[in-house]
């Protein structure tokens, strides 16, 4: 961690987790933050860290950090007008070509030197090239409106969660068990690698190794922000597992007695990849903070930091699987047909859909949910960002 980090003034980090189309929720939360910030406010997050689709949002913010609220509005505009075809091939020729390549590679061993997957996400590369100006990162770092931005990807050969970061030269690389931090100049390939969900999207070569979605082996999702100098973090999750004193837990439905579909299995695997590690890391950090507060400074073990790491978490108040199930007919016909066999087009398979449904109805409902959830924590956000006296501007996100 950068030893020069100032202790007098907290360094606020923003952590945007992965989750495919679920990341639309994040821009709703960011829209609320934009409304809470005063006019012409500087970037309130010197450290921005993202994984998977969260990496795309994180770099989008960093590219526009010189004009932070405008960067948020740009992100919202992109997500409000999303379609599956802007992320992966969803037309019949594209779906048939990719499925044929996948079967040929998997069953016959054809094209072994070319990474393949169930879906062709080449359109995402084109979208990133159009929407992102990576020179904005260097400008923001140079003018000290950004300390660092980082994205995490998983190395298929090394088995390491590698965090690629661009920021101030005083930030040192780090090497931990299966976790490393590598300074670099970020580009489209880093985002494509971080967002390459295993089996769904093809791996991306960076240097001598192929990388995939960073959430696969990211056992400590909060740690990159701390290594980059953050002393407090705002975490925007996409779990869709409502928690809190006001949440009513319904009695579980009796088992149907039918074997799980491939979509149900895939949904649980995706949830364990994108959600479980983040929630466990937050719980561990809160326990360490509680222990640190309970032990007198002179009695603390040497390996227990005396510095508290404040954490504020904003996550969906409603199950995202249920929202995806209502919008499943928005999926393009070719993809619906392709996913019908595994059971993803049924309500029980909505877990997979919640990651792949890049359509306006679903994305806009998640954006609105993120905005409302953030505003429900308006007081906490204002205290966390030091905005207690700031007026709230009119709502930037139109009602759905």
């Amino acid at each position: 961690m950068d030893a020069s980090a100032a202790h007098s003034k907290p360094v606020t980090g923003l952590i945007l987790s992965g989750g495919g189309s679920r990341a639309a929720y994040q821009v709703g939360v960011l829209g609320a933050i934009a409304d809470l910030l005063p006019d012409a406010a500087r970037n309130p997050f010197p450290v921005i860290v993202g994984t998977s689709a969260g990496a795309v949002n994180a770099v989008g913010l960093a590219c526009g950090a010189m004009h932070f609220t405008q960067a948020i509005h740009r992100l919202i505009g992109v997500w409000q007008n999303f379609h599956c075809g802007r992320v992966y091939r969803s037309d019949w020729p594209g779906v048939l070509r990719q499925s044929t390549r996948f079967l040929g590679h998997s069953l016959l061993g054809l094209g072994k030197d070319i990474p393949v997957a169930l879906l062709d996400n080449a359109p995402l590369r084109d979208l990133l090239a159009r929407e992102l100006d990576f020179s904005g990162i260097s400008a923001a770092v140079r003018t000290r409106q950004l300390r660092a931005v980082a994205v995490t990807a998983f190395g298929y050969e090394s088995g390491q969660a590698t965090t690629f970061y661009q920021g101030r030269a005083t930030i040192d690389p780090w090497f931990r068990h299966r976790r490393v931090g590598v300074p670099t100049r970020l580009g489209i390939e880093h985002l494509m690698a971080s967002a390459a969900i295993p089996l769904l999207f093809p791996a991306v070569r960076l240097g001598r190794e192929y990388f995939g979605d960073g959430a696969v082996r990211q056992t400590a999702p909060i740690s990159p922000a701390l290594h980059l100098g953050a002393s407090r973090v705002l975490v925007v999750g996409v779990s869709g597992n409502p928690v809190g004193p006001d949440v009513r837990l319904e009695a579980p439905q009796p088992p149907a007695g039918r074997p799980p579909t491939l979509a149900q299995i895939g949904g649980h695997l995706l949830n364990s990849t994108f959600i479980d590690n983040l929630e466990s890391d937050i719980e561990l950090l809160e326990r360490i903070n509680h222990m640190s507060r309970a032990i007198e400074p002179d009695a603390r073990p040497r390996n227990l930091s005396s510095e508290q790491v404040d954490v504020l978490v904003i996550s969906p108040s409603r199950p995202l699987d249920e929202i995806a199930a209502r919008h499943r007919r928005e999926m393009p016909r070719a993809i619906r047909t392709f996913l019908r066999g595994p059971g993803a087009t049924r309500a029980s398979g909505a877990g997979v859909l919640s990651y792949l449904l890049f359509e306006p109805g679903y994305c806009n409902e998640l954006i609105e949910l993120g905005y409302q959830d953030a505003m429900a924590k308006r007081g906490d956000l204002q205290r966390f960002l030091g905005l207690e006296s700031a007026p709230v501007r009119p709502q930037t996100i139109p009602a759905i």
Side-chain angles (χ1 to χ4, degrees), residues 218-301:
Q218 196 175 25
T219 56
I222 296 177
S223 66
L226 305 183
H227 282 292
L228 295 172
S231 57
R232 62 181 182 182
V233 291
L234 170 63
V235 180
V236 185
V238 292
S239 70
N241 300 318
V243 295
D246 299 328
V247 175
R248 289 186 176 182
L249 296 179
E250 297 182 359
Q253 296 295 322
R258 292 190 295 268
T261 64
L262 287 177
Q264 283 178 289
I265 296 172
H268 285 296
L269 291 176
L270 288 172
N271 287 341
S272 66
T273 297
F274 289 103
I275 295 167
D276 293 353
N277 285 337
L278 177 61
E279 293 180 345
S280 298
D281 204 29
I282 292 170
E283 183 178 358
L284 176 60
L285 186 56
E286 290 176 342
R287 287 181 178 178
I288 293 175
N289 283 340
H290 180 73
M291 185 183 301
S292 181
R293 288 191 296 267
I295 301 176
E296 293 295 330
D298 295 339
R300 287 175 183 155

Side-chain angles (χ1 to χ4, degrees), residues 6 11 30 61 78 90 112 115 121-122 164 189 202 208-209 277 286 294 300 305 322 328 331 393:
V11 177
L30 293 171
L61 288 179
V78 170
S90 59
K112 289 184 177 180
N121 63 345
F164 299 97
E189 296 305 307
R208 300 176 61 183
E209 186 174 9
N277 285 337
E286 290 176 342
R300 287 175 183 155
S305 174
E322 294 181 5
R328 62 184 184 273
M331 185 71 78
R393 290 199 298 273

Side-chain angles (χ1 to χ4, degrees), residues 67-232:
H67 307 282
F68 189 71
T69 56
Q70 293 181 22
I72 291 176
H73 295 157
R74 186 178 182 89
L75 270 178
I76 293 172
V78 170
W79 278 93
Q80 284 181 327
N81 295 285
F82 250 140
H83 290 278
C84 291
R86 301 185 71 185
V87 179
Y88 53 83
R89 290 288 299 272
S90 59
D91 58 303
W92 278 110
V95 170
L96 292 174
R97 175 176 176 271
Q98 192 66 15
S99 59
T100 301
R101 288 186 58 194
F102 182 81
L103 291 174
H105 181 277
S106 303
L107 300 180
L108 304 177
L110 303 176
K112 289 184 177 180
D113 295 332
I114 302 175
V116 298
L118 288 171
L119 299 172
D120 177 5
N121 63 345
L124 176 61
R125 188 186 304 272
D126 297 334
L127 174 68
L128 297 177
R130 290 194 306 270
E131 297 291 341
L132 297 179
D133 179 5
F134 287 90
S135 65
I137 297 177
S138 300
V141 172
R142 187 170 57 251
T143 58
R144 294 188 172 271
Q145 297 203 44
L146 182 69
R147 181 184 182 85
V149 57
V151 302
T152 300
F154 163 69
Y156 278 102
E157 293 187 26
S158 65
Q160 292 178 326
T162 303
T163 298
F164 299 97
Y165 67 89
Q166 182 175 346
R168 298 182 189 175
T170 54
I171 301 175
D172 296 326
W174 62 89
F175 303 90
R176 298 292 185 270
H177 179 63
R178 301 223 180 258
R179 293 184 287 118
V180 298
V182 179
T184 189
R185 182 176 291 273
L186 293 175
I188 291 176
E189 296 305 307
H190 297 94
L191 298 183
M192 295 296 293
S194 183
I197 301 175
L199 295 181
L200 294 178
F201 299 138
V204 177
R205 185 169 182 172
L206 296 173
R208 300 176 61 183
E209 186 174 9
Y210 278 94
F211 287 84
D213 199 297
V216 173
R217 291 297 293 270
Q218 196 175 25
T219 56
I222 296 177
S223 66
L226 305 183
H227 282 292
L228 295 172
S231 57
R232 62 181 182 182

